[in-house]
Amino acid sequence: MTDGVDSHQQLDERVREDSALLVAAGNGDTSAFDSLVRTHTDKLYRVALRIVGNPAEAEDAVQDAWVSAWRSLATFRGDSAASTWLYRVVTNAALSQVRKRRPTVPLDPTDETMTPVGETGNPEGTALREEETRRVHAAISRLEPSQRLPLVLRELEGMNYEEVAEVLEVNVTALRSRLHRARLALLAELKEAP
Amino acid sequence: MNEEGFASDRRLPCGHRVGELIGYHLDDVPPEFEEHLRECPHCRAELAETSRRWRPVRRLARSHAAPSNDLVDRTLATLRGLHDRHGGPPMEVSQEHGTLLIQPAATLSLTRRLSTEVLAEFSGMAVRTCLMTREAVRVELVATHRTSAHELLPEIRHRLLAALHEHLDAGTPEVSVRLADVVPPWNGTGEKSDHPPIR
């Protein structure tokens, strides 16, 4: 029980520190902003990757997100947690990346020779795991953005309903409805899973 | 996406709908349903099936996804370019009613945005870094296929310059576009790529 209270306190302290850093950055303290970049980039990357479904584009989206965040510091009013605000910025950047895509022909769709086998010593197991991950990512990428974002934040990032609603700036009832549809759509896609 | 394939509206013999069960599986089970579940083989079977189908999503949620080792450094370099007030003198462009001054940060920011737009037409390529150097705006790309990507660089630079020219006209900077990294096609696991970038 004490551990739970301690981790809660640590979390609260972290939220306050992040907010203070954002406020300091808004006052022109670039080192405060750099500190946020160092702390949150991995987390933002994970969200971006799951929205765009491609590592190179996800990294690009993360850089865009930080640029947007720097420019929009004045809009951070401190009425939500810094991480919530940053999640909002990165989901917008990732979504923008997805929307910029046009139907294209891959450079060389037949080149499979560079696909790594993995290092687990069980090539078959690794291949199956990679195939499964690819399949889930592909299924998520076919969801409409209005379903994809809540699904990523709730089911993959493990955020609670209130947090997701705050990031997406919708009410919890609307969020529940979107999420329900997203889950059903994803289940339909995964119907043929072995 | 076709939700009907999952037949979420299908009614089980006990009267519950299949679509309800996903909510019970992923959120809280209400006490009245918990009681029902103990007695109902149909709901139990359907819930087990839902759980089986959802397993890959849970595994994905637990999987490790880390960016390249240098993403933070590249991001900080990008940001320094944007807020560096000593990033060089502004570009002066003569106009009919005076001189337009274009700050390097604005040029850099625009180049970054337009690069992403141009690359949207080239599958498998993305912006890795966009930096202002003394000589030019340097755009570095990452691709999944080295040979084809190299062949496309002149075309990408041409389109980028054309897009910049539309916005900046005579203030269009010198632009260099190079392939800085080639990564294997994504293995889907989100695991870190440790290969060194091209130098």
Side-chain angles (χ1 to χ4, degrees), chain A residues 63-85:
Chain A
Q63 290 193 59
D64 272 347
W66 282 118
V67 169
S68 295
W70 172 256
R71 289 214 181 106
S72 317
L73 281 169
T75 67
F76 178 70
R77 296 182 300 273
D79 47 8
S80 60
S83 59
T84 303
W85 189 75

Side-chain angles (χ1 to χ4, degrees), chain A residues 30 33-35 37-38 41-42 45-46 49-50 53-64 66-67 70-71 97 100-109 111-112 114-116 126 129-144 147 151 154-157 161 176 179-194, chain B residues 1-6 8 18-20 22-23 26-27 49-50 52-76 78-80 82-83 105-106 109-110 112-113 116-130 142-146 148-149 152 182-191:
Chain A
T30 55
F33 197 73
D34 290 356
S35 174
V37 171
R38 288 193 184 90
T41 289
D42 277 14
Y45 169 77
R46 205 173 53 221
L49 176 65
R50 284 160 173 176
N54 170 299
E57 286 185 14
E59 292 194 353
D60 196 13
V62 169
Q63 290 193 59
D64 272 347
W66 282 118
V67 169
W70 172 256
R71 289 214 181 106
Q97 185 85 259
K100 274 179 201 155
R101 276 188 206 145
R102 286 160 217 171
T104 51
V105 178
L107 291 179
D108 186 356
D111 182 4
E112 298 293 335
M114 292 171 75
T115 306
T126 305
R129 183 168 54 88
E130 290 176 3
E131 175 53 30
E132 178 188 89
T133 310
R134 249 196 300 262
R135 203 163 44 80
V136 179
H137 264 289
I140 291 173
S141 73
R142 284 193 291 273
L143 297 176
E144 289 167 20
Q147 297 178 352
L151 190 108
R154 168 73 185 160
E155 308 302 346
L156 302 182
E157 286 303 300
Y161 280 102
R176 280 184 183 276
L179 193 58
H180 182 67
R181 291 179 64 78
R183 287 164 169 177
L184 293 179
L186 188 56
L187 269 180
E189 284 285 328
L190 298 173
K191 190 180 169 201
E192 301 308 323
Chain B
M1 188 175 295
N2 180 15
E3 285 171 27
E4 300 315 310
F6 177 56
S8 59
V18 169
E20 287 173 52
I22 182 69
L26 295 173
D27 297 323
E49 173 61 13
T50 299
R52 186 190 68 80
R53 277 194 217 165
W54 200 257
R55 213 168 291 146
V57 183
R58 286 200 193 280
R59 274 198 286 267
L60 180 62
R62 286 196 303 267
S63 70
H64 180 66
S68 313
N69 292 329
D70 63 349
L71 178 61
V72 168
D73 290 339
R74 280 187 279 133
T75 303
L76 292 176
T78 300
L79 290 166
R80 269 195 294 279
L82 291 177
H83 53 62
S109 175
L110 180 66
R112 182 174 171 74
R113 182 168 66 76
T116 307
E117 284 179 19
V118 167
L119 288 177
E121 291 179 25
F122 296 85
S123 172
M125 298 185 83
V127 178
R128 191 171 185 280
T129 319
C130 185
V142 54
T144 48
H145 302 276
R146 186 176 193 164
S148 319
L152 292 169
V182 177
V183 294
W186 191 31
N187 62 12
T189 62
E191 281 166 8

Side-chain angles (χ1 to χ4, degrees), chain A residues 51-53 57 93-102 145 148:
Chain A
I51 294 171
V52 303
E57 286 185 14
L95 205 53
S96 158
Q97 185 85 259
V98 169
R99 286 181 175 141
K100 274 179 201 155
R101 276 188 206 145
R102 286 160 217 171
R148 193 186 318 179

Side-chain angles (χ1 to χ4, degrees), chain B residues 125-188:
Chain B
M125 298 185 83
V127 178
R128 191 171 185 280
T129 319
C130 185
L131 294 172
M132 185 69 90
T133 66
R134 216 175 270 276
E135 301 78 27
V137 180
R138 196 172 71 202
V139 182
E140 296 190 341
L141 308 181
V142 54
T144 48
H145 302 276
R146 186 176 193 164
T147 313
S148 319
H150 269 301
E151 287 165 5
L152 292 169
L153 291 180
E155 177 63 18
I156 291 169
R157 180 174 178 274
H158 174 74
R159 290 196 199 182
L160 177 57
L161 277 171
L164 278 166
H165 196 264
E166 265 182 38
H167 288 79
L168 300 176
D169 200 16
T172 301
E174 188 55 42
V175 173
S176 77
V177 177
R178 64 188 285 266
L179 187 62
D181 200 1
V182 177
V183 294
W186 191 31
N187 62 12

